[in-house]
Amino acid sequence: MAANEPSPFESSEMLATFLISTPLLPESWRLCSQANASAANLRSFVVERVGAVVYVAFSGVQMAGGSDPSWRTLAPLDRIGGLPLFSSRRNKEAEEPVMVHAGMLTIFSSLFNSIQNQVLGILENTDTKSIVITGHSIGGATASLCTLWLLSYLQSISSSLSVMCITFGSPLLANKSFSQAISREWCGGNFCHVVSKHDIMPRLLFAPIAPLTPQLNFLLQFWHLSMTSPEFGKLAVQVSDQDKSDLFTAVLGCLETATQNEEASESILFYPFGNYFFVSDEGALCVDSPVTIIKMMHLLLSTSSPSCSIEDHLKYGEYVNKLSWQMLNQNNSMMMNIPNSSYEAGLELAIQSSGIANQESAVIAAKECLRSARRMGLSPVLNAASLPLSLSKVAPYRAQIEWYKRWCDEQDDEMGYYDTFKTRESSKREMRVNMYRLTLARFWNSVIDMIEKNELPHDFDQRAKWVNASQFYKLLVEPLDIAEYYGKEKHVKKGHYIEHGRERRYEIFDRWWKNREVTSGEENKERSKFASSTQDSCFWAKVEEARDWLNGMRSERDNNKLAILWEKIENFEKYAIGLIENKEVSNDVLAKNSSYSLWVGELKELKQLNANVQRFPQQFTRFMDGEVVPYYELRLLFLVCR
């Protein structure tokens, strides 16, 4: 298959086939039904072992803020059960914090002690090979949070126990940042959300339904009574046609807006994550792209009615019972029109399984939606495997910059690497070096772009080869970026480099280096000679700021501001001396005419002047204030200051 041809074997499709071919779905639903029925006895979840698999099923008969107008309130989530969640290695600065539904988080927190005791007891049994955490309705959201906690806990103890979360008709749980974090951490495959094609519950939180809170509360009561006692629920509570219509219209309208307007899609408060397993009477299809999930939610709901959208929330048992039979007994008439192309065949079967094959208005949109969900090009693993070849193509440019650095250090002007490039003229040598600098920047920006698009493995930024390569690049090339910034006087308009001019790739590489695994030998190793590159890639930017502070000392008259400037100068001086004593700078820093050496000389003069001012405070103050000072006093002051 060509590299640019879409693969029909997406991870979500393989997950769908796997689930249908195993007892996981029937067993999960059986336990969910049992948990719902036992809710009348105040049991929020049930635990049962089936062979080597342990099931933990949460009841959907719970309230998550339905009686509160703030039904859509979000709460921050950086820890769960006392354990940290999600690495911030690749978070963008503009990215919102990870947040989840406040009411559902409260439910999980209230159950946590009981959950923890039960699950830790399960882990002590060496016969346990897998844990399936499941839940219906609001219980599905609780199951997702429980799965997150368990995955974090197992990671903290380096356990290889398999964990799967299967939800049925679960409401949306969290914001877009949460969804992106799940994708980054590569645990989206642990979550499978079963959603019937008409069920309104998984779609409710797309709409700002605060004005419809009474209708929502009434609907939840109907569902809860129907789950605990189906016959009694249908007799005791009836949701009016008007209430059904109001909810259905609000949700469908918001979904339609989100799929047609990109800005509206970006502003969605709650966002899907993991795999969505859409089920119907005709079969099932599975997708893992959040954008595609939202579009499919809209397309499928648009073929429904207000009554069906509410009744479907209670029909998961019927759908699950049909799936295995349909998998083994494909209808011959269905197979007759399947194209020869494996890709088109998969697409056609997906449309038929969705239950909308007979509705022409929805079929075209659904096909386009599913096509866009398929990953184009190579898989993350293959991308990572081919990336070293791309790196080898730019390696000669890095070598040329290294050669240029050595050449600068050998020149008679003794300016060093940084200052030579900063004050460069239009020579061919410097033009080539600048071209190499820009080429390397494009390469590393493309790597970061691939990471953020999930086109590389989730642990790519932890692999020693790439962490070391990015660090080497940063230490070698960022001084040139700083030289370019100050040589072109960009700081005059924009401000100093570190706050206003530093490229985001360097900040990302800082995090990679900080989060790397460090051996004990590496931590304790002392240098016997100066480094090949200064270990603080922003060192020259700090020198430039220190030069400004020194100039400020000469012109500033405010004593408070002078004290602040002097404190900054002294702190940088100590920092630089520490780097030099530890041999963490390269030789160009100590070059006779480097910016740092010149700064040290100017600082020495200023300190001498300061000492002299302290010896003759009255004469200096009178002179600086413009007062006429006798010639002999002025001459003495001049000789001493000289």
Side-chain angles (χ1 to χ4, degrees), residues 5-199:
E5 194 174 318
S7 168
F9 303 110
E10 293 294 336
S11 59
S12 56
E13 293 176 13
M14 289 190 288
L15 175 63
T17 304
F18 168 73
L19 284 174
I20 293 175
S21 63
T22 68
L24 288 174
L25 285 178
E27 289 293 337
S28 294
W29 177 253
R30 179 179 66 82
L31 268 296
C32 284
S33 299
Q34 185 177 323
N36 285 340
S38 65
N41 299 322
L42 302 179
R43 293 180 62 192
S44 297
F45 65 95
V46 297
V47 179
E48 184 175 311
R49 177 181 294 276
V50 181
V53 181
V54 174
Y55 290 82
V56 180
F58 289 91
S59 167
V61 186
Q62 305 176 55
M63 296 298 287
S67 60
D68 188 338
S70 60
W71 165 254
R72 285 160 47 87
T73 301
L74 285 162
L77 183 72
D78 57 355
R79 303 179 71 84
I80 188 164
L83 296 171
L85 275 178
F86 308 130
S87 164
S88 60
R89 290 186 304 270
R90 290 197 289 268
N91 282 357
K92 299 178 182 178
E93 289 183 3
E95 203 172 278
E96 293 183 352
V98 169
M99 304 188 80
V100 298
H101 190 288
M104 295 170 194
L105 182 59
T106 299
I107 290 175
F108 173 75
S109 300
S110 68
L111 299 173
F112 178 70
N113 288 335
S114 298
I115 295 170
Q116 186 179 38
N117 292 336
Q118 290 266 17
V119 173
L120 294 183
I122 292 168
L123 297 179
E124 291 177 359
N125 190 327
T126 56
D127 293 333
T128 303
K129 304 301 181 185
S130 302
I131 296 181
V132 177
I133 302 176
T134 185
H136 177 216
S137 194
I138 292 173
T142 311
S144 293
L145 289 169
C146 180
T147 303
L148 275 177
W149 164 72
L150 183 55
L151 288 172
S152 297
Y153 177 76
L154 293 176
Q155 185 178 25
S156 70
I157 62 172
S158 301
S159 171
S160 59
L161 188 71
S162 174
V163 179
M164 184 75 186
C165 178
I166 301 175
T167 71
F168 299 90
S170 173
L172 295 171
L173 175 63
N175 65 352
K176 186 174 183 178
S177 292
F178 179 95
S179 176
Q180 292 171 332
I182 289 285
S183 179
R184 275 198 300 267
E185 300 296 324
W186 216 249
C187 56
N190 295 86
F191 296 88
C192 179
H193 306 290
V194 182
V195 174
S196 62
K197 68 175 185 177
H198 294 156
D199 186 3

Side-chain angles (χ1 to χ4, degrees), residues 278-327:
F278 292 102
V279 295
S280 70
D281 288 326
E282 289 75 19
L285 68 92
C286 191
V287 291
D288 59 1
S289 163
V291 173
T292 304
I293 291 167
I294 294 171
K295 289 180 179 178
M296 289 304 299
M297 280 189 165
H298 170 250
L299 283 169
L300 295 174
L301 188 65
S302 67
T303 65
S304 181
S305 66
S307 293
C308 287
S309 70
I310 290 172
E311 293 166 3
D312 233 29
H313 189 58
L314 304 172
K315 293 174 63 177
Y316 283 95
E318 298 177 23
Y319 292 123
V320 169
N321 290 335
K322 291 179 180 179
L323 285 177
S324 297
W325 180 88
Q326 289 171 339
M327 183 71 179

